[in-house]
Amino acid sequence: MVNFTSKQAMNNKVRIQDSFWDPFMELVRGTVIPYQWDALNDAIEGAEPSYAIRNFRIAAGLEEGEFGGFIFQDSDLAKWLEAVGYSLAMMPDPALEQTADEVIELIAKAQHENGYLNTYFTIKKPGQAWTNLHEAHELYCAGHMMEAAVAYYDATGKRKLLDVMCRFADYIETVFGREPGQIRGYDGHQEVELALIKLAQATGEERYVKLAQFFIDERGTEPNFLVEECRDREGFSYWTQKKQPIPTVAQMAYNQAHKPVREQEVAIGHSVRAVYMYTAMADLARLTADESLFSACRRLWDNTTKKQMYITGGIGSTHHGEAFTFDYDMPNDTVYAETCASIGLIFFAQRMLQLEAKSEYADVMERALYNNVIGSMSQDGKHYFYVNPLEVWPKASELNPSRHHVKAERQKWFGCSCCPPNVARLLSSLNNYIYTSSPSTNTVYTHLFIGSEARFQLAVGEVVLTQQSKLPWEGYVRIELTLVPQETFTLALRIPSWSQGRAAMKINGVLTTYDTVNGYASVDRPWMQGDIVEWELVLEAQLTIAHPEIRANAGKVAIERGPLVYCIEEVDNVTSLSSISIDVGQKLQPNYEPNLLGGAVMIGTEAYANESTSWVDDSPYRPFTQQQALERVRLKAVPYYLWGNRGVGEMTVWIRKGGV
Amino acid sequence: MVNFTSKQAMNNKVRIQDSFWDPFMELVRGTVIPYQWDALNDAIEGAEPSYAIRNFRIAAGLEEGEFGGFIFQDSDLAKWLEAVGYSLAMMPDPALEQTADEVIELIAKAQHENGYLNTYFTIKKPGQAWTNLHEAHELYCAGHMMEAAVAYYDATGKRKLLDVMCRFADYIETVFGREPGQIRGYDGHQEVELALIKLAQATGEERYVKLAQFFIDERGTEPNFLVEECRDREGFSYWTQKKQPIPTVAQMAYNQAHKPVREQEVAIGHSVRAVYMYTAMADLARLTADESLFSACRRLWDNTTKKQMYITGGIGSTHHGEAFTFDYDMPNDTVYAETCASIGLIFFAQRMLQLEAKSEYADVMERALYNNVIGSMSQDGKHYFYVNPLEVWPKASELNPSRHHVKAERQKWFGCSCCPPNVARLLSSLNNYIYTSSPSTNTVYTHLFIGSEARFQLAVGEVVLTQQSKLPWEGYVRIELTLVPQETFTLALRIPSWSQGRAAMKINGVLTTYDTVNGYASVDRPWMQGDIVEWELVLEAQLTIAHPEIRANAGKVAIERGPLVYCIEEVDNVTSLSSISIDVGQKLQPNYEPNLLGGAVMIGTEAYANESTSWVDDSPYRPFTQQQALERVRLKAVPYYLWGNRGVGEMTVWIRKGGV
């Protein structure tokens, strides 16, 4: 039983206007989207070619040539188009829209008569579609293009790509299923599931939800589809281009297909696949009121965010398979914390908020957004981290192979370039993450404090409000109600975990009490047009410790201030950074530096540093009794998201507690 | 100009009798050698087959079959035979000698008419000898068999294997060289160089030294032989069985062939290859009085031991290529520290001591021997560590792929089983590492304090002494001179670095002053038969700190007592070990526990532990202000070499300084 009533709630109209976030969005609009367009067209000097557009041209019969790039290269164009859709929704741009229209024509030309669309199989393996779901990313690419189609349709009202992708989805529906002759299987990389939900919401077609549900329900059941499919291929692997041993069901944990999704206890395997799947599970739990799915979502949320999440909102502790490892295993130096995974975590959080408004989801969403995600992009919008480490020693990144994946500098467009367009599509759709509303309970929830104008349709009528925010630098938010219904409705403001509950609300200048419901300050009252709600959050720099089971952070603290995690960089401090220990008894002193990287609050405090001048004899080890007094030094920390923008150097988030 | 005068000095006759070391040697004799014989014969249940003997049988035409095991599998038999040689020298064993004689017959049968000997090429690639020196380990295997031949000849006087290997060496001499038609090249894995020196010393044949010199001199010169050889094979690689890009000269750093050996500044590449090469370089520097080689040895020694050596005497910071990384990069958890590499480091130290008696060489030799090397073997002699970590979290070893190479339990015989027979051959020849003598300066040096009877030939005559030692548990050594020449000679006792110079000498009960020469207490006097020299070393448990550039050890201390490094294990302490910080102001209390793992001195002290009971809310991060008081706990440390003998658990050498 599909419940589409919440569709409206998701499509609240929100427009961002915010001094912190506008520059990011402007960067996406003005730089990232054009730059990525060049990248898709292989027009960036010194970067590996993408081949994405060229593949479509070849598949469409407009050009001769070989397929280039990864097997999932189509998804890069899809993610770019999705970002374009969001961007056009925010700000019209006829030239960009025309470019998009043209590329959509190209995509349509590459579609087969029966609806199938995938340039790799069209160019390179005609007739072999759906023979390697385990590795070939066909449904994954389809899903991304569906998301693009929906975004572009929402922004422009143009149905061309939407129709293309509905035709593809209709075809997929005939290929996959439980009837004789159908494939009772699913993709090796989850994505189509969440995309089908979007397609259903855009078109009102409930059967797309059912198809998503099929994929989710089948996943991990016995006999294991992916294992059997490998057996049918006699173990032939696309990646190694030779026969491999048939994998075990347990090895399908990499694809979260080792057991039915409702039985999965912990986040495991490739982290992007995992969070994309959890996102679709939460969508389905909401739309079909599936309690067992909901409880699996809660369990996987808890494990992911409480036992396997870095303080920056990064997930995935190992580059081997870009994967989760196990509870509390969070090395800072050999970390993965892929940008895409944090973006997927934000998707998951958003869907959980749609299921139930609990501030912990928004806390995590905010953590991932303000740290791991925006930190992945350079200030020029043209360089990206794929891996987002919490500790970097550039020489080790260069010379110790265990750390080669940890780059000390943001890179140009990647060969496997999933992250940059993912950042673009998230930032350009950020307006969708700030609020949710519950029309039935007549509640408007504010999850993120980002300046914006928002319009909501509740049962009692329409609400329009304007939010102004001084986040992340100051804990002050002001909401003006510019349109209110006659009857009462509830305004619910998140009490961020970082405020430690120290949050005061004023209505029209008068301090007001509020009910705390699931971490939200809730005020249910008759509102007047022009009412001003001020939300004063204590935003103090603080030292944070990690759970004692997180061995990597033993004896260390991190600095946080509001939603921002801080780090220390070599450029501001003595080297090596490991020689520094922070004097935990001293005050943390925030200082806004307007000229530094667009303006930011730095934090200064007192610390100790090991002296090194007495190690004249070059011996690597010596008695502790010969240790000299520590030096007193000044420590300066910068927001994590700004690290690595001032040359190559050491960086660390976790700092030793001093001063022994 | 080859100087063989020191040959005699190396062949001092030394027999060990020592309560600490006898059990190890007995283990090698009684268990390891028979067990490894079974392993070589594929007779150990549950362990991967070795195929080593079978390969020789096939190559000798006694059996049909395919080659099995690694391309360098022959070297396992060689190392076993070498250990047998040393063992027979220590203690006759007719049955073992007969087994060895039989296998030597087998080896002789596998030799080609022209002297060539290698089962891989004989069985699998006849006619393709010397076509892939980069990868195929032919000279490496030859070298190990030469070492075996010399050891067996020295022990038994039997020339059979020595003659086989001389024939092979003679053949190698015709194949390699600077004349037209000869290969102007060298092996991808150094070993034959040091072996040829031994062969020269056993046979008096100077041309084997010259051949070793040729290999050393050619290495890394332009045009790069290994690169050109790859080009000749069109990049075909044995390991991948397909064509690979032609490697660059810089990539030959893995094989220490990226530049001429005299120009190499830092230890780089595969660490076993490196130290085997340095050993041969030191041999050649001594035998040919080559100053430029000597200075390269000193430089490489300094870099290896002062900037790239773990406190346990382990070297090699990464499992990628089992290699060195760069100065001060010594991660404790993703470490390699291969057993074979520490053994090679001991060889290098021994040769440096033959070049110049400086106590720092012996300090390192002792460190590697008492910690990394003997720690690699289980108390039953049947299980081995290949990788010797300084920090183990068993769950991470299992579930984080970056740590899969770090085993929490010693393993049975390995597929690539270089380490176990290397341990056997080192321990069974340990008598060769205790002393050196300088006949020309009439000095007897004692480097290691291991109970033994030793006989030296000086210019002034023969010296026989008996050493008794309470090491490593007590700092007391007693030397009795049982035969002395008429004229004066110098007795030089090492002042171990761990004594911090607090070393008192008594002669016949009377406190005596001594000269300190290069770290040795030197006494030059007329000695009387029956003179008793007592050597009282302050052997105190101490805390050790690491150089501030070693980031992995920042804020931490290790416990050492005499030559032994200590560690803490989960079985004796609270978990997780990372939650423990040591109270550096408290006394370290040694306590001999006779019933623990054969008897050992444990060390107890006071420490703090993070409380974990207050983390009831399951949140991974929380404000430092909520940190509860630390708990006071008792800490118990055990010698590193004994770790992992009481079940699987966490272990760490470096412990956080407390108690903040």
Side-chain angles (χ1 to χ4, degrees), chain B residues 524-559:
Chain B
D524 178 14
R525 58 176 252 170
W527 296 94
M528 301 286 287
Q529 190 170 327
D531 276 352
I532 306 287
V533 180
E534 290 170 291
W535 189 220
E536 295 172 2
L537 302 162
V538 174
L539 189 152
E540 280 175 357
Q542 66 167 44
L543 297 177
T544 300
I545 53 175
H547 193 284
E549 286 290 319
I550 305 177
R551 285 149 176 79
N553 300 335
K556 296 181 174 178
V557 290
I559 300 172

Side-chain angles (χ1 to χ4, degrees), chain A residues 309-311 320 329 393 400-401 543 545 547-548 551 554-555 576 578 615 620-622 624 627 650 656-657, chain B residues 309-311 320 329 393 400-401 543 545 547-548 551 554-555 576 578 615 620-622 624 627 650 656-657:
Chain A
M309 185 185 71
Y310 287 90
I311 193 171
H320 294 273
D329 179 41
W393 182 11
N400 186 326
L543 297 177
I545 53 174
H547 192 284
R551 285 149 176 79
S576 70
S578 70
W615 286 80
Y621 308 106
R622 70 179 185 189
F624 173 65
Q627 175 155 318
E650 287 188 52
R656 288 192 298 114
K657 284 182 282 183
Chain B
M309 185 185 72
Y310 288 90
I311 193 171
H320 294 273
D329 180 42
W393 182 12
N400 185 327
L543 297 177
I545 53 175
H547 193 284
R551 285 149 176 79
S576 71
S578 70
W615 286 80
Y621 308 105
R622 70 179 186 189
F624 173 65
Q627 175 155 319
E650 287 187 52
R656 287 192 297 115
K657 284 181 282 183

Side-chain angles (χ1 to χ4, degrees), chain A residues 258-289:
Chain A
H258 55 306
K259 52 171 83 169
V261 302
R262 288 173 182 77
E263 296 170 22
Q264 298 188 18
E265 299 283 339
V266 294
I268 196 167
H270 185 256
S271 51
V272 173
R273 282 173 167 81
V275 283
Y276 282 13
M277 180 176 86
Y278 306 158
T279 299
M281 286 165 64
D283 273 335
L284 286 167
R286 174 173 50 85
L287 293 172
T288 65

Side-chain angles (χ1 to χ4, degrees), chain B residues 58-75:
Chain B
I58 297 167
L62 303 174
E63 197 175 317
E64 296 279 306
E66 280 303 302
F67 178 88
F70 281 93
I71 199 168
F72 46 78
Q73 210 69 4
D74 289 1
S75 63

Side-chain angles (χ1 to χ4, degrees), chain A residues 428-481:
Chain A
S428 55
S429 62
L430 193 58
N431 55 326
N432 295 332
Y433 296 82
I434 303 172
Y435 307 96
T436 58
S437 63
S438 168
S440 56
T441 65
N442 290 305
T443 306
V444 169
Y445 293 97
T446 301
H447 305 299
L448 298 178
F449 302 108
I450 295 179
S452 48
E453 190 185 75
R455 182 176 297 266
F456 307 92
Q457 192 62 51
L458 304 181
V460 292
E462 201 174 17
V463 174
V464 179
L465 61 79
T466 305
Q467 177 183 173
Q468 292 173 294
S469 167
K470 295 188 177 174
L471 265 282
W473 311 125
E474 292 177 46
Y476 179 81
V477 177
R478 180 183 183 277
I479 289 171
E480 180 174 353
L481 295 168

